[in-house]
Amino acid sequence: MTQDNREDDVGRVGKGVADSTTRAQPADVQAAAWTSEVEHLLEDWRNRVYAAQAAHYASADRFRLLNYLVGVPATIFSSVVGTALFTGLEKGSPKTLVIGSVSIAAAVLAALQTFLRFAERASQHATAGDWYSAVRRDIEQLLHLGATDRGLPKECLDEVRKEMNRVGQNSPELSGSEWKRQAKRFRVKEPQIRV
């Protein structure tokens, strides 16, 4: 799914609240359907989406940092080796051993950077964070609209839930520790699992 298509999909959350189905309902019936439980569920979803957004942005920052921590030394080591080869090395010289070691280190770092794909993973997490941010804004818009302007709760909640499912399925996996940190920060209540 391209960024443009995703933005179109994200913009659909909360739209359609004034379609023909909701227009047929009297405004007081629509407003009465927005119970405190429904409002609480929407607020819980906003907190979850906010936590996911923050966790993906934090993961993107971590992978960007790792990309620099591995990539910059690999580049420097490769440059040192290349320069040393042009100056000429004598067999058995201590410089030859040092340059050989630096060459191996450069190759290992470059291989790690390629294999672990830090830059790509940072980009994926940043995109997921952007998408979660858009869903969060849609939820906040619903929460700030008057009950009569929102439409029917079932329709609005279905749209939000489907968008949350879509972004969750298309996002890279978060580390458990990052999710726990952000879930605690945004007061996300996790279900209690009994074993």
Side-chain angles (χ1 to χ4, degrees):
M1 180 179 287
T2 65
Q3 180 73 18
D4 293 336
N5 291 342
R6 187 168 45 255
E7 287 172 0
D8 291 343
D9 288 343
V10 170
R12 289 188 194 129
V13 174
K15 289 188 180 173
V17 292
D19 65 11
S20 60
T21 310
T22 57
R23 278 192 218 128
Q25 297 285 331
D28 57 340
V29 172
Q30 291 179 31
W34 284 93
T35 63
S36 63
E37 290 85 10
V38 173
E39 295 270 347
H40 181 69
L41 177 61
L42 205 53
E43 289 171 3
D44 180 57
W45 285 359
R46 180 195 52 204
N47 291 345
R48 286 180 179 282
V49 167
Y50 218 154
Q53 169 194 333
H56 279 290
Y57 283 148
S59 294
D61 289 344
R62 185 177 68 248
F63 284 120
R64 271 189 218 103
L65 178 64
L66 288 170
N67 186 51
Y68 288 122
L69 289 175
V70 173
V72 170
T75 303
I76 291 170
F77 291 167
S78 296
S79 298
V80 167
V81 170
T83 304
L85 292 177
F86 279 115
T87 62
L89 295 173
E90 298 174 14
K91 286 188 176 182
S93 166
K95 289 182 182 180
T96 305
L97 181 59
V98 170
I99 296 301
S101 299
V102 170
S103 175
I104 291 170
V108 167
L109 289 174
L112 282 173
Q113 187 176 27
T114 301
F115 177 72
L116 297 174
R117 304 176 352 262
F118 292 132
E120 179 183 336
R121 291 165 73 187
S123 177
Q124 290 171 343
H125 280 287
T127 299
D130 291 344
W131 199 355
Y132 275 112
S133 178
V135 174
R136 177 189 49 80
R137 287 190 302 271
D138 288 337
I139 293 171
E140 287 172 347
Q141 179 182 4
L142 282 172
L143 288 169
H144 286 89
L145 286 174
T148 57
D149 295 329
R150 294 180 190 166
L152 295 173
K154 171 90 170 91
E155 293 172 5
C156 291
L157 291 175
D158 282 347
E159 288 182 42
V160 170
R161 179 185 43 78
K162 287 175 184 175
E163 189 63 20
M164 287 172 62
N165 291 345
R166 204 171 10 257
V167 66
Q169 291 168 351
N170 291 299
S171 297
E173 187 174 341
L174 289 167
S175 72
S177 61
E178 187 62 50
W179 170 251
K180 286 177 186 174
R181 183 174 24 263
Q182 298 303 333
K184 182 178 179 182
R185 176 180 168 206
F186 289 96
R187 296 182 191 98
V188 172
K189 295 177 185 85
E190 293 291 346
Q192 298 298 319
I193 300 172
R194 296 180 190 182
V195 184

